[in-house]
Amino acid sequence: VYDLELKTHRQLTTEAGDHGLPAWVQGLRTYSFSPDGKDIFFIRNQLGVNSLWKISIASEKCEPISLPENYTELKQITVSGKGDQIALLASGARTPQRVITYSQKAGVRVLARSRDEALAPSSYSSLQPITWQGMDGQSVHGLFYEPQNPMFQGIGNPPLIVNIHGGPTSQRGAAFNIQAQFFTSRGYAYLEVNYRGSTGYGRAYWDALKGNWGIYDVQDAVSGAKHLVEKGKVDKDRLVIMGGSAGGFTVLKALEDFPGFFKAGVCLYGVANQFTLVADTHKFESHYSDTLLGVLPEASEVYYDRSPIFHADKIQDPIVVFQGEDDKVVPRSQSDEIVSSLQKRGVPHEYHLYPGEGHGFRKTETISHFYQTVEKFLKQYVIYT
């Protein structure tokens, strides 16, 4: 808080937790003042899990506000003008997103649901925040889902899908994750890797990716899979890496730098050429790579080393590539170049190009085709081999 008379700042929070969000888009909010200005209601992010708090500006007394345990991701907090209610977007691993209100008198009320919620919560996999040691001994964080389907019983350790978020300085939180639930319901374990450089774990963790994009994200994906293998949670011979955009870049780099470690890769509109990404991407991210890789032309050697297209001959594991034809963030040419290399060398692969789709798929028929295709591809190259 800022004192207008003394012109001084005073920090209210002392706990290790993130209380803000990177401003990717406008209108994001994680706190709201009470109408009388005496208190602040806010969302705290710790290890990817959100909680709701209230703090007194005068006394700095901080107290949690208890919500049902199934709400582990909270967004867009708003305090009513009377101060007797708080509205939020809330979800959890087993609870699709809802609009809820909370008051001390009435507790939690559900005002709207994003899905019909026809399935019982037991049909969904719960998540577990986990931390492991990276290849250099530093801590790495993620969210782990075990297979879950009340209609089936698995035998032995399950295959693992290691999913890499985009951004690259983004974060996967403890929200309802339909993609994770799709795969866990079909017998896969699922790991969301919040590699070093992800937001939500403090400034130092976020800054770690500066100059290290294509290094830490790749290493942390591999070490996360190794950690689960060593814990006896997954099958070491049936590991899959998947990701879109910057996550797709990590997929390509991982297959190049650690050939044979993953049984297969799933790449959605992945960055393949760092030079053309800078030249062709949209205005908002036009200088993103300056901090992640360096400023051109001085950093041209780094850009070359971190561009999968120049080292695509190292990819030997099966891979399926998905691309939107109208993508303006990672243009189609990025995927075309990778696929051309795979074709020339006879690497097992599939390429699916979707007309009318941009950066991230929107059409129902596209999304349906994507999931059906991935499931079939993994059965062929991971499950039944």
Side-chain angles (χ1 to χ4, degrees):
V1 291
Y2 181 69
D3 190 307
L4 293 173
E5 294 181 353
L6 300 177
K7 298 183 178 181
T8 56
H9 293 88
R10 178 166 54 95
Q11 182 174 329
L12 300 181
T13 56
T14 57
E15 291 294 318
D18 266 16
H19 301 95
L21 295 169
W24 306 129
V25 296
Q26 296 176 338
L28 300 176
R29 56 184 181 273
T30 56
Y31 66 91
S32 184
F33 284 84
S34 62
D36 60 12
K38 294 181 178 180
D39 302 303
I40 300 176
F41 297 88
F42 66 92
I43 298 166
R44 174 174 290 164
N45 180 359
Q46 292 177 302
L47 297 179
V49 177
N50 293 169
S51 53
L52 183 61
W53 295 76
K54 173 185 177 181
I55 191 166
S56 165
I57 295 176
S59 68
E60 299 183 13
K61 180 183 178 182
C62 189
E63 54 186 317
I65 297 175
S66 180
L67 297 177
E69 292 183 5
N70 53 335
Y71 295 132
T72 51
E73 170 126 325
L74 307 171
K75 292 182 177 180
Q76 298 301 88
I77 182 171
T78 303
V79 178
S80 71
K82 296 180 180 179
D84 58 348
Q85 280 191 330
I86 302 169
L88 298 154
L89 297 178
S91 72
R94 293 181 164 185
T95 308
Q97 191 173 78
R98 301 167 174 174
V99 179
I100 68 168
T101 60
Y102 167 83
S103 68
Q104 193 170 16
K105 182 178 180 180
V108 173
R109 293 179 57 215
V110 178
L111 301 186
R113 304 171 192 268
S114 61
R115 297 177 180 270
D116 58 17
E117 300 188 19
L119 294 177
S122 60
S123 300
Y124 298 118
S125 174
S126 59
L127 65 82
Q128 176 187 357
I130 63 172
T131 300
W132 64 92
Q133 281 194 337
M135 292 185 177
D136 56 0
Q138 297 298 309
S139 294
V140 184
H141 306 289
L143 302 172
F144 179 59
Y145 299 76
E146 297 196 52
Q148 172 66 18
N149 190 322
M151 297 176 64
F152 298 93
Q153 179 66 46
I155 301 174
N157 288 334
L160 171 69
I161 293 178
V162 177
N163 192 60
I164 314 298
H165 65 68
T169 51
S170 184
Q171 181 194 21
R172 289 289 186 175
F176 183 74
N177 187 330
I178 194 64
Q179 183 165 285
Q181 299 299 343
F182 175 87
F183 289 108
T184 56
S185 69
R186 286 154 175 79
Y188 293 88
Y190 191 91
L191 174 64
E192 291 280 16
V193 181
N194 283 323
Y195 52 81
R196 284 169 289 174
S198 304
T199 49
Y201 298 92
R203 175 69 65 171
Y205 196 84
W206 182 5
D207 286 343
L209 201 65
K210 291 181 178 178
N212 292 308
W213 188 26
I215 298 177
Y216 285 165
D217 49 316
V218 175
Q219 292 180 357
D220 295 351
V222 172
S223 64
K226 286 183 176 179
H227 171 76
L228 292 173
V229 168
E230 292 167 359
K231 291 289 185 181
K233 294 288 188 180
V234 300
D235 186 341
K236 66 179 179 63
D237 296 320
R238 292 188 293 173
L239 306 176
V240 180
I241 186 167
M242 178 170 65
S245 191
F249 161 75
T250 304
V251 169
L252 298 174
K253 281 287 292 175
L255 295 181
E256 291 178 352
D257 296 348
F258 297 89
F261 181 81
F262 292 103
K263 194 78 171 180
V266 180
C267 179
L268 295 85
Y269 36 87
V271 176
N273 190 325
Q274 296 288 3
F275 291 102
T276 55
L277 177 70
V278 172
D280 297 338
T281 195
H282 59 130
K283 181 179 179 181
F284 181 69
E285 294 186 348
S286 59
H287 294 283
Y288 204 177
S289 297
D290 290 357
T291 56
L292 297 172
L293 298 174
V295 179
L296 289 172
E298 292 80 7
S300 58
E301 185 175 341
V302 174
Y303 278 67
Y304 180 86
D305 289 341
R306 312 277 177 84
S307 293
I309 189 57
F310 300 122
H311 316 283
D313 58 334
K314 296 180 180 179
I315 298 178
Q316 63 184 35
D317 303 299
I319 181 172
V320 56
V321 178
F322 299 90
Q323 177 69 45
E325 205 170 62
D326 300 334
D327 196 330
K328 298 295 190 295
V329 180
V330 179
R332 168 185 173 176
S333 59
Q334 299 264 329
S335 292
D336 286 349
E337 290 183 72
I338 286 292
V339 171
S340 177
S341 173
L342 298 172
Q343 289 174 336
K344 291 175 183 177
R345 295 181 296 108
V347 177
H349 73 281
E350 292 182 16
Y351 186 27
H352 299 277
L353 187 64
Y354 296 122
E357 293 285 14
H359 197 66
F361 305 142
R362 305 291 191 273
K363 298 179 181 179
T364 301
E365 59 269 27
T366 301
I367 296 170
S368 177
H369 180 269
F370 164 75
Y371 279 111
Q372 291 175 14
T373 301
V374 171
E375 186 176 21
K376 182 179 178 181
F377 183 84
L378 296 183
K379 284 180 179 179
Q380 179 179 356
Y381 290 104
V382 178
I383 304 302
Y384 300 139
T385 59

